[in-house]
Amino acid sequence: MRSAALGPQNRATALREMSDNEYDVLVIGGGVVGAGAALDAVSRGLTVALIEARDWAAGSSSRSSKLIHGGLRYLEQLDFRLVREALKERHLLLTRLAPHLVRPVPFLFPLRHRIWERFYIGVGMTLYDLLGGLRSVVPRHRHLSRRRALEEAPALRPDALIGALQYFDAQTDDARMTLTIARTAARYGAAVVNRARATGLLREGGRVTGARVLDLETGREITVRAGQVISATGVWTDETLAMAGAGETRTMKPSKGVHIVVPRDRIDLRTAMILRTEKSVLFVIPWGQYWIIGTTDTQWSLDKDRPVASRADIDYLLDHVNAVLRRPLTRDDIEGVYAGLRPLLAGNEANTAKLSREHLVANPVPGLVIVAGGKYTTYRVMAEDAVDMAVRELGADVAGSVTQRVPLLGAAGYEALWNGRHRLADRFGLSVPTVERLLHRYGSGVEDLLGMITADPALGRVLDGAPGYLKAEAVYAASHEQALHLEDVLTRRTHIFMEEKDRGLAAAPEVAALIAPVLGWDDDATRRETERYRLQAEAEIAAENQPDDVTAEVILHGVPDPSARAGAAGANP
């Protein structure tokens, strides 16, 4: 097996290998499904290359509600197969594949109507428990009186509920999960490279045989040849189909989801919460020292690379959550905002909240497999289905998928380290909560990060302007996690962008200085990175004060992408 470290040298080596070799499978798209497809293929013994035009999880896979769940609301749509499939994946992630990254979370469902609602929702939750299986590691749902519900949720107005039900689901750090899957694929031999954009597909006769790939960091274009190309490009699937010459096909119907982040002490809850809205549901989800509140669900037809939140989105979330809170939230309470696009399959429904989250796997032209739709929780199933189709096209004797039994990087040994967390804290001079947080982020891989602190104790100190993170985490992002730009560190390797009210502007200079030696930046390059990030963060804040999507996008697109070279911005394909 290869090293799981993805530093600058590893990336350069992977690019050379891609140029020199022919692969069984080339995966285009470094979201959770693309990373999952690369892991599925390489763990079957295939040779695999994985490219991503921006950064790992830079699209939908870092902008979700960060839940691993069956989708309770899909029961109302009678989508029992999807719910059962998702709950099976939830169990695998909690128990075997990623126990360090996925954790159970209790959810409170306030009831507003007597008798019928408790019966109706209770039956749904009973079915939800049954679909989760008899060996589920999360507790069954329970009924609560109004008094008991208010003990769990003192923040709620007494007249906002007549009682409640409580059930369990799970949550994850979506960006870190995606990165970990990509690193696990690299560990088993896949060549993985971010900031590498597919600019065209190679053809021999009517068959796709690879792709032309532009390294956005150097401007160099290479040719990557493969027996099969798997496109996992999410909301950009239609662009991939057009590149393949499959005609003007409308497969995707992107839906924008916006979340806001507020301090934990602003809402007095002992539990997460789910609320009904006229369109869908609204979640209030614990996130360290914060709550994530979301999401909206509106059609999106503007730039897919950089969806943006507007004042209308934020007002929608505040209005709906304030309808049940004793002490309403204001815009001043908001620490962060993020917007993402759901890769929904196009359908006849005008309302995207009603579109199914089931996925599509297709072979539109020989040599090309398209996987689209689905939900984050079922990434592994989507990846398996895509590789199954590619294997049939390869015509070789290839093993079946084994990813149900392949733990992600950091899972092996995690429980033992967790049990010894107090000793780790004493040994490295860190608080126990800090060690627990690191274990939830890195699992057993925390030993590499702690080794950096042993070599340089200064890295064990917290970042200026972002006290929730250690300096070592910034350096580790560049040396082990293929972070190539300041934005990569502040937005996805950490979540400083959404957790700090200034969007990480106070932390940016120090983080840039920490990663500069790893990435080979001189003083001018370091200043340029910091300035680009500043412009982008200020534009995001300004956009959030605009009344609608169109005016918000004008503000955001008035500044350059902080992580793209001139003329090189864009997402796969």
Side-chain angles (χ1 to χ4, degrees), residues 300 302-303 306-311 532 534-562:
W300 182 260
L302 302 175
D303 187 355
R306 298 163 78 181
V308 60
S310 68
R311 187 169 69 233
R532 279 199 294 262
R534 181 187 68 79
L535 290 172
Q536 175 72 8
E538 290 176 349
E540 293 262 4
I541 295 170
E544 293 158 14
N545 290 308
Q546 301 305 306
D548 53 44
D549 289 345
V550 173
T551 53
E553 188 186 51
V554 169
I555 296 291
L556 186 61
H557 286 255
V559 299
D561 188 320

mmCIF file of all heavy atoms in Angstrom, residues 300 302-303 306-311 532 534-562:
data_model
loop_
_atom_site.group_PDB
_atom_site.id
_atom_site.type_symbol
_atom_site.label_atom_id
_atom_site.label_comp_id
_atom_site.label_asym_id
_atom_site.label_seq_id
_atom_site.Cartn_x
_atom_site.Cartn_y
_atom_site.Cartn_z
ATOM 1 N N TRP A 300 -32.217 26.477 -8.621
ATOM 2 C CA TRP A 300 -31.032 27.282 -8.907
ATOM 3 C C TRP A 300 -30.672 27.127 -10.384
ATOM 4 O O TRP A 300 -30.495 26.021 -10.871
ATOM 5 C CB TRP A 300 -29.855 26.826 -8.049
ATOM 6 C CG TRP A 300 -28.600 27.633 -8.255
ATOM 7 C CD1 TRP A 300 -27.528 27.287 -9.012
ATOM 8 C CD2 TRP A 300 -28.295 28.902 -7.688
ATOM 9 N NE1 TRP A 300 -26.564 28.270 -8.963
ATOM 10 C CE2 TRP A 300 -27.009 29.278 -8.156
ATOM 11 C CE3 TRP A 300 -28.973 29.774 -6.837
ATOM 12 C CZ2 TRP A 300 -26.398 30.472 -7.798
ATOM 13 C CZ3 TRP A 300 -28.358 30.968 -6.475
ATOM 14 C CH2 TRP A 300 -27.089 31.301 -6.942
ATOM 15 N N LEU A 302 -28.372 29.656 -11.786
ATOM 16 C CA LEU A 302 -27.237 30.550 -12.008
ATOM 17 C C LEU A 302 -25.944 29.743 -11.974
ATOM 18 O O LEU A 302 -25.948 28.542 -12.182
ATOM 19 C CB LEU A 302 -27.261 31.666 -10.954
ATOM 20 C CG LEU A 302 -28.550 32.510 -10.936
ATOM 21 C CD1 LEU A 302 -28.531 33.500 -9.791
ATOM 22 C CD2 LEU A 302 -28.761 33.224 -12.267
ATOM 23 N N ASP A 303 -24.815 30.405 -11.718
ATOM 24 C CA ASP A 303 -23.495 29.765 -11.765
ATOM 25 C C ASP A 303 -23.409 28.617 -10.757
ATOM 26 O O ASP A 303 -23.561 28.826 -9.549
ATOM 27 C CB ASP A 303 -22.414 30.806 -11.480
ATOM 28 C CG ASP A 303 -21.012 30.269 -11.673
ATOM 29 O OD1 ASP A 303 -20.859 29.060 -11.934
ATOM 30 O OD2 ASP A 303 -20.061 31.065 -11.565
ATOM 31 N N ARG A 306 -20.349 28.631 -7.881
ATOM 32 C CA ARG A 306 -20.312 29.444 -6.671
ATOM 33 C C ARG A 306 -21.719 29.855 -6.254
ATOM 34 O O ARG A 306 -22.095 31.022 -6.347
ATOM 35 C CB ARG A 306 -19.423 30.665 -6.913
ATOM 36 C CG ARG A 306 -17.987 30.279 -7.217
ATOM 37 C CD ARG A 306 -17.204 31.420 -7.856
ATOM 38 N NE ARG A 306 -16.781 32.407 -6.886
ATOM 39 C CZ ARG A 306 -16.095 33.512 -7.214
ATOM 40 N NH1 ARG A 306 -15.783 33.765 -8.477
ATOM 41 N NH2 ARG A 306 -15.741 34.373 -6.289
ATOM 42 N N PRO A 307 -22.541 28.906 -5.784
ATOM 43 C CA PRO A 307 -23.862 29.286 -5.284
ATOM 44 C C PRO A 307 -23.713 30.209 -4.081
ATOM 45 O O PRO A 307 -22.752 30.094 -3.310
ATOM 46 C CB PRO A 307 -24.479 27.944 -4.888
ATOM 47 C CG PRO A 307 -23.312 27.052 -4.619
ATOM 48 C CD PRO A 307 -22.246 27.483 -5.582
ATOM 49 N N VAL A 308 -24.644 31.115 -3.930
ATOM 50 C CA VAL A 308 -24.499 32.141 -2.904
ATOM 51 C C VAL A 308 -25.810 32.315 -2.154
ATOM 52 O O VAL A 308 -26.893 32.147 -2.702
ATOM 53 C CB VAL A 308 -24.048 33.478 -3.558
ATOM 54 C CG1 VAL A 308 -25.071 33.951 -4.579
ATOM 55 C CG2 VAL A 308 -23.790 34.550 -2.513
ATOM 56 N N ALA A 309 -25.700 32.635 -0.871
ATOM 57 C CA ALA A 309 -26.871 32.915 -0.047
ATOM 58 C C ALA A 309 -27.267 34.375 -0.195
ATOM 59 O O ALA A 309 -26.412 35.249 -0.344
ATOM 60 C CB ALA A 309 -26.569 32.597 1.412
ATOM 61 N N SER A 310 -28.553 34.636 -0.137
ATOM 62 C CA SER A 310 -29.063 36.006 -0.191
ATOM 63 C C SER A 310 -29.787 36.330 1.112
ATOM 64 O O SER A 310 -29.993 35.468 1.968
ATOM 65 C CB SER A 310 -30.029 36.173 -1.368
ATOM 66 O OG SER A 310 -31.216 35.424 -1.129
ATOM 67 N N ARG A 311 -30.190 37.602 1.235
ATOM 68 C CA ARG A 311 -30.928 38.011 2.424
ATOM 69 C C ARG A 311 -32.245 37.247 2.532
ATOM 70 O O ARG A 311 -32.679 36.897 3.633
ATOM 71 C CB ARG A 311 -31.194 39.519 2.365
ATOM 72 C CG ARG A 311 -31.814 40.071 3.661
ATOM 73 C CD ARG A 311 -31.827 41.585 3.689
ATOM 74 N NE ARG A 311 -32.772 42.125 2.699
ATOM 75 C CZ ARG A 311 -32.472 43.020 1.773
ATOM 76 N NH1 ARG A 311 -31.228 43.487 1.695
ATOM 77 N NH2 ARG A 311 -33.370 43.457 0.934
ATOM 78 N N ARG A 532 -6.480 37.457 -1.807
ATOM 79 C CA ARG A 532 -7.583 36.831 -2.550
ATOM 80 C C ARG A 532 -8.644 36.285 -1.608
ATOM 81 O O ARG A 532 -9.842 36.405 -1.864
ATOM 82 C CB ARG A 532 -7.047 35.705 -3.455
ATOM 83 C CG ARG A 532 -6.444 36.179 -4.768
ATOM 84 C CD ARG A 532 -6.365 35.045 -5.776
ATOM 85 N NE ARG A 532 -5.444 34.005 -5.373
ATOM 86 C CZ ARG A 532 -4.187 33.894 -5.804
ATOM 87 N NH1 ARG A 532 -3.713 34.779 -6.656
ATOM 88 N NH2 ARG A 532 -3.412 32.916 -5.401
ATOM 89 N N ARG A 534 -9.276 37.392 1.410
ATOM 90 C CA ARG A 534 -9.968 38.536 2.018
ATOM 91 C C ARG A 534 -11.064 39.063 1.095
ATOM 92 O O ARG A 534 -12.204 39.302 1.517
ATOM 93 C CB ARG A 534 -8.979 39.650 2.342
ATOM 94 C CG ARG A 534 -9.631 40.872 3.002
ATOM 95 C CD ARG A 534 -8.656 42.023 3.157
ATOM 96 N NE ARG A 534 -8.270 42.586 1.865
ATOM 97 C CZ ARG A 534 -9.037 43.434 1.164
ATOM 98 N NH1 ARG A 534 -10.229 43.802 1.625
ATOM 99 N NH2 ARG A 534 -8.609 43.911 0.017
ATOM 100 N N LEU A 535 -10.744 39.235 -0.169
ATOM 101 C CA LEU A 535 -11.721 39.747 -1.122
ATOM 102 C C LEU A 535 -12.932 38.822 -1.227
ATOM 103 O O LEU A 535 -14.078 39.275 -1.287
ATOM 104 C CB LEU A 535 -11.068 39.924 -2.499
ATOM 105 C CG LEU A 535 -10.035 41.051 -2.619
ATOM 106 C CD1 LEU A 535 -9.332 40.967 -3.970
ATOM 107 C CD2 LEU A 535 -10.690 42.411 -2.428
ATOM 108 N N GLN A 536 -12.659 37.520 -1.262
ATOM 109 C CA GLN A 536 -13.751 36.554 -1.377
ATOM 110 C C GLN A 536 -14.630 36.571 -0.127
ATOM 111 O O GLN A 536 -15.860 36.563 -0.226
ATOM 112 C CB GLN A 536 -13.192 35.155 -1.608
ATOM 113 C CG GLN A 536 -14.229 34.050 -1.632
ATOM 114 C CD GLN A 536 -15.099 34.063 -2.880
ATOM 115 O OE1 GLN A 536 -14.827 34.822 -3.808
ATOM 116 N NE2 GLN A 536 -16.126 33.237 -2.911
ATOM 117 N N ALA A 537 -14.019 36.578 1.051
ATOM 118 C CA ALA A 537 -14.796 36.560 2.293
ATOM 119 C C ALA A 537 -15.653 37.819 2.412
ATOM 120 O O ALA A 537 -16.832 37.740 2.793
ATOM 121 C CB ALA A 537 -13.855 36.442 3.487
ATOM 122 N N GLU A 538 -15.092 38.958 2.081
ATOM 123 C CA GLU A 538 -15.860 40.202 2.151
ATOM 124 C C GLU A 538 -17.001 40.202 1.136
ATOM 125 O O GLU A 538 -18.091 40.724 1.417
ATOM 126 C CB GLU A 538 -14.930 41.396 1.925
ATOM 127 C CG GLU A 538 -13.964 41.615 3.094
ATOM 128 C CD GLU A 538 -12.979 42.745 2.840
ATOM 129 O OE1 GLU A 538 -12.903 43.219 1.678
ATOM 130 O OE2 GLU A 538 -12.285 43.156 3.796
ATOM 131 N N ALA A 539 -16.771 39.599 -0.039
ATOM 132 C CA ALA A 539 -17.831 39.517 -1.042
ATOM 133 C C ALA A 539 -18.959 38.608 -0.568
ATOM 134 O O ALA A 539 -20.145 38.895 -0.794
ATOM 135 C CB ALA A 539 -17.259 39.015 -2.369
ATOM 136 N N GLU A 540 -18.619 37.494 0.089
ATOM 137 C CA GLU A 540 -19.644 36.587 0.617
ATOM 138 C C GLU A 540 -20.522 37.323 1.634
ATOM 139 O O GLU A 540 -21.754 37.206 1.612
ATOM 140 C CB GLU A 540 -18.980 35.377 1.279
ATOM 141 C CG GLU A 540 -18.252 34.451 0.325
ATOM 142 C CD GLU A 540 -19.072 33.249 -0.074
ATOM 143 O OE1 GLU A 540 -20.245 33.172 0.331
ATOM 144 O OE2 GLU A 540 -18.535 32.395 -0.797
ATOM 145 N N ILE A 541 -19.883 38.073 2.526
ATOM 146 C CA ILE A 541 -20.636 38.814 3.543
ATOM 147 C C ILE A 541 -21.545 39.839 2.884
ATOM 148 O O ILE A 541 -22.716 39.997 3.257
ATOM 149 C CB ILE A 541 -19.668 39.472 4.534
ATOM 150 C CG1 ILE A 541 -18.906 38.395 5.331
ATOM 151 C CG2 ILE A 541 -20.422 40.392 5.486
ATOM 152 C CD1 ILE A 541 -17.759 38.935 6.166
ATOM 153 N N ALA A 542 -21.026 40.543 1.883
ATOM 154 C CA ALA A 542 -21.826 41.554 1.189
ATOM 155 C C ALA A 542 -22.991 40.914 0.431
ATOM 156 O O ALA A 542 -24.109 41.449 0.407
ATOM 157 C CB ALA A 542 -20.945 42.353 0.225
ATOM 158 N N ALA A 543 -22.737 39.757 -0.177
ATOM 159 C CA ALA A 543 -23.791 39.074 -0.942
ATOM 160 C C ALA A 543 -24.958 38.686 -0.052
ATOM 161 O O ALA A 543 -26.124 38.709 -0.479
ATOM 162 C CB ALA A 543 -23.213 37.847 -1.637
ATOM 163 N N GLU A 544 -24.668 38.315 1.176
ATOM 164 C CA GLU A 544 -25.717 37.885 2.099
ATOM 165 C C GLU A 544 -26.674 39.012 2.467
ATOM 166 O O GLU A 544 -27.746 38.759 3.029
ATOM 167 C CB GLU A 544 -25.082 37.295 3.363
ATOM 168 C CG GLU A 544 -24.346 35.984 3.104
ATOM 169 C CD GLU A 544 -23.303 35.673 4.154
ATOM 170 O OE1 GLU A 544 -23.323 36.338 5.222
ATOM 171 O OE2 GLU A 544 -22.456 34.799 3.908
ATOM 172 N N ASN A 545 -26.317 40.239 2.156
ATOM 173 C CA ASN A 545 -27.194 41.382 2.418
ATOM 174 C C ASN A 545 -28.002 41.793 1.195
ATOM 175 O O ASN A 545 -28.773 42.753 1.258
ATOM 176 C CB ASN A 545 -26.360 42.572 2.914
ATOM 177 C CG ASN A 545 -25.809 42.344 4.304
ATOM 178 O OD1 ASN A 545 -26.554 42.017 5.220
ATOM 179 N ND2 ASN A 545 -24.505 42.495 4.472
ATOM 180 N N GLN A 546 -27.822 41.066 0.095
ATOM 181 C CA GLN A 546 -28.573 41.370 -1.119
ATOM 182 C C GLN A 546 -29.942 40.690 -1.076
ATOM 183 O O GLN A 546 -30.086 39.628 -0.479
ATOM 184 C CB GLN A 546 -27.800 40.933 -2.352
ATOM 185 C CG GLN A 546 -26.438 41.589 -2.486
ATOM 186 C CD GLN A 546 -26.529 43.104 -2.460
ATOM 187 O OE1 GLN A 546 -27.279 43.700 -3.238
ATOM 188 N NE2 GLN A 546 -25.774 43.733 -1.571
ATOM 189 N N PRO A 547 -30.946 41.281 -1.729
ATOM 190 C CA PRO A 547 -32.314 40.774 -1.559
ATOM 191 C C PRO A 547 -32.610 39.444 -2.229
ATOM 192 O O PRO A 547 -33.535 38.740 -1.815
ATOM 193 C CB PRO A 547 -33.180 41.889 -2.178
ATOM 194 C CG PRO A 547 -32.266 42.584 -3.133
ATOM 195 C CD PRO A 547 -30.900 42.525 -2.507
ATOM 196 N N ASP A 548 -31.860 39.093 -3.298
ATOM 197 C CA ASP A 548 -32.205 37.870 -4.024
ATOM 198 C C ASP A 548 -30.959 37.251 -4.646
ATOM 199 O O ASP A 548 -29.852 37.795 -4.542
ATOM 200 C CB ASP A 548 -33.248 38.157 -5.107
ATOM 201 C CG ASP A 548 -32.824 39.289 -6.029
ATOM 202 O OD1 ASP A 548 -31.656 39.321 -6.457
ATOM 203 O OD2 ASP A 548 -33.671 40.163 -6.326
ATOM 204 N N ASP A 549 -31.142 36.090 -5.301
ATOM 205 C CA ASP A 549 -30.019 35.350 -5.866
ATOM 206 C C ASP A 549 -29.255 36.153 -6.912
ATOM 207 O O ASP A 549 -28.027 36.133 -6.947
ATOM 208 C CB ASP A 549 -30.521 34.050 -6.506
ATOM 209 C CG ASP A 549 -30.984 33.031 -5.484
ATOM 210 O OD1 ASP A 549 -30.662 33.200 -4.298
ATOM 211 O OD2 ASP A 549 -31.680 32.075 -5.877
ATOM 212 N N VAL A 550 -29.981 36.827 -7.785
ATOM 213 C CA VAL A 550 -29.330 37.515 -8.904
ATOM 214 C C VAL A 550 -28.426 38.630 -8.401
ATOM 215 O O VAL A 550 -27.262 38.738 -8.807
ATOM 216 C CB VAL A 550 -30.389 38.068 -9.881
ATOM 217 C CG1 VAL A 550 -29.718 38.921 -10.956
ATOM 218 C CG2 VAL A 550 -31.164 36.924 -10.526
ATOM 219 N N THR A 551 -28.923 39.462 -7.499
ATOM 220 C CA THR A 551 -28.098 40.563 -7.003
ATOM 221 C C THR A 551 -26.970 40.052 -6.115
ATOM 222 O O THR A 551 -25.875 40.612 -6.108
ATOM 223 C CB THR A 551 -28.959 41.580 -6.233
ATOM 224 O OG1 THR A 551 -29.710 40.891 -5.214
ATOM 225 C CG2 THR A 551 -29.928 42.286 -7.163
ATOM 226 N N ALA A 552 -27.222 38.968 -5.374
ATOM 227 C CA ALA A 552 -26.161 38.388 -4.543
ATOM 228 C C ALA A 552 -25.046 37.833 -5.415
ATOM 229 O O ALA A 552 -23.854 37.994 -5.106
ATOM 230 C CB ALA A 552 -26.732 37.291 -3.650
ATOM 231 N N GLU A 553 -25.410 37.178 -6.518
ATOM 232 C CA GLU A 553 -24.389 36.612 -7.397
ATOM 233 C C GLU A 553 -23.536 37.700 -8.040
ATOM 234 O O GLU A 553 -22.328 37.525 -8.226
ATOM 235 C CB GLU A 553 -25.040 35.760 -8.486
ATOM 236 C CG GLU A 553 -24.013 34.996 -9.314
ATOM 237 C CD GLU A 553 -24.639 34.261 -10.481
ATOM 238 O OE1 GLU A 553 -25.378 34.884 -11.246
ATOM 239 O OE2 GLU A 553 -24.353 33.065 -10.626
ATOM 240 N N VAL A 554 -24.136 38.834 -8.380
ATOM 241 C CA VAL A 554 -23.374 39.942 -8.963
ATOM 242 C C VAL A 554 -22.257 40.376 -8.012
ATOM 243 O O VAL A 554 -21.124 40.614 -8.423
ATOM 244 C CB VAL A 554 -24.305 41.129 -9.283
ATOM 245 C CG1 VAL A 554 -23.493 42.377 -9.629
ATOM 246 C CG2 VAL A 554 -25.238 40.773 -10.428
ATOM 247 N N ILE A 555 -22.578 40.449 -6.727
ATOM 248 C CA ILE A 555 -21.572 40.840 -5.731
ATOM 249 C C ILE A 555 -20.457 39.805 -5.660
ATOM 250 O O ILE A 555 -19.271 40.132 -5.718
ATOM 251 C CB ILE A 555 -22.225 41.003 -4.338
ATOM 252 C CG1 ILE A 555 -23.234 42.146 -4.344
ATOM 253 C CG2 ILE A 555 -21.152 41.217 -3.280
ATOM 254 C CD1 ILE A 555 -22.637 43.516 -4.495
ATOM 255 N N LEU A 556 -20.823 38.532 -5.549
ATOM 256 C CA LEU A 556 -19.828 37.479 -5.366
ATOM 257 C C LEU A 556 -18.922 37.353 -6.582
ATOM 258 O O LEU A 556 -17.719 37.136 -6.465
ATOM 259 C CB LEU A 556 -20.521 36.148 -5.084
ATOM 260 C CG LEU A 556 -19.602 34.977 -4.740
ATOM 261 C CD1 LEU A 556 -18.813 35.267 -3.474
ATOM 262 C CD2 LEU A 556 -20.398 33.698 -4.579
ATOM 263 N N HIS A 557 -19.481 37.507 -7.764
ATOM 264 C CA HIS A 557 -18.700 37.320 -8.976
ATOM 265 C C HIS A 557 -17.928 38.566 -9.378
ATOM 266 O O HIS A 557 -17.262 38.585 -10.409
ATOM 267 C CB HIS A 557 -19.599 36.821 -10.108
ATOM 268 C CG HIS A 557 -19.988 35.391 -9.942
ATOM 269 N ND1 HIS A 557 -19.437 34.379 -10.689
ATOM 270 C CD2 HIS A 557 -20.837 34.795 -9.073
ATOM 271 C CE1 HIS A 557 -19.957 33.218 -10.301
ATOM 272 N NE2 HIS A 557 -20.796 33.443 -9.327
ATOM 273 N N GLY A 558 -18.013 39.587 -8.539
ATOM 274 C CA GLY A 558 -17.189 40.760 -8.779
ATOM 275 C C GLY A 558 -15.770 40.605 -8.305
ATOM 276 O O GLY A 558 -14.919 41.476 -8.531
ATOM 277 N N VAL A 559 -15.479 39.474 -7.622
ATOM 278 C CA VAL A 559 -14.116 39.205 -7.152
ATOM 279 C C VAL A 559 -13.671 37.862 -7.707
ATOM 280 O O VAL A 559 -14.495 36.984 -7.985
ATOM 281 C CB VAL A 559 -14.034 39.186 -5.610
ATOM 282 C CG1 VAL A 559 -14.433 40.524 -5.027
ATOM 283 C CG2 VAL A 559 -14.895 38.085 -5.022
ATOM 284 N N PRO A 560 -12.355 37.656 -7.865
ATOM 285 C CA PRO A 560 -11.878 36.373 -8.400
ATOM 286 C C PRO A 560 -12.024 35.255 -7.394
ATOM 287 O O PRO A 560 -12.043 35.473 -6.186
ATOM 288 C CB PRO A 560 -10.398 36.657 -8.703
ATOM 289 C CG PRO A 560 -10.027 37.766 -7.764
ATOM 290 C CD PRO A 560 -11.264 38.616 -7.636
ATOM 291 N N ASP A 561 -12.153 34.038 -7.907
ATOM 292 C CA ASP A 561 -12.132 32.845 -7.068
ATOM 293 C C ASP A 561 -10.805 32.836 -6.316
ATOM 294 O O ASP A 561 -9.741 32.944 -6.913
ATOM 295 C CB ASP A 561 -12.236 31.601 -7.953
ATOM 296 C CG ASP A 561 -12.416 30.325 -7.148
ATOM 297 O OD1 ASP A 561 -11.765 30.194 -6.104
ATOM 298 O OD2 ASP A 561 -13.189 29.463 -7.573
ATOM 299 N N PRO A 562 -10.823 32.713 -4.968
ATOM 300 C CA PRO A 562 -9.587 32.813 -4.200
ATOM 301 C C PRO A 562 -8.626 31.657 -4.408
ATOM 302 O O PRO A 562 -7.471 31.733 -4.021
ATOM 303 C CB PRO A 562 -10.079 32.842 -2.744
ATOM 304 C CG PRO A 562 -11.374 32.106 -2.778
ATOM 305 C CD PRO A 562 -11.991 32.453 -4.110
#
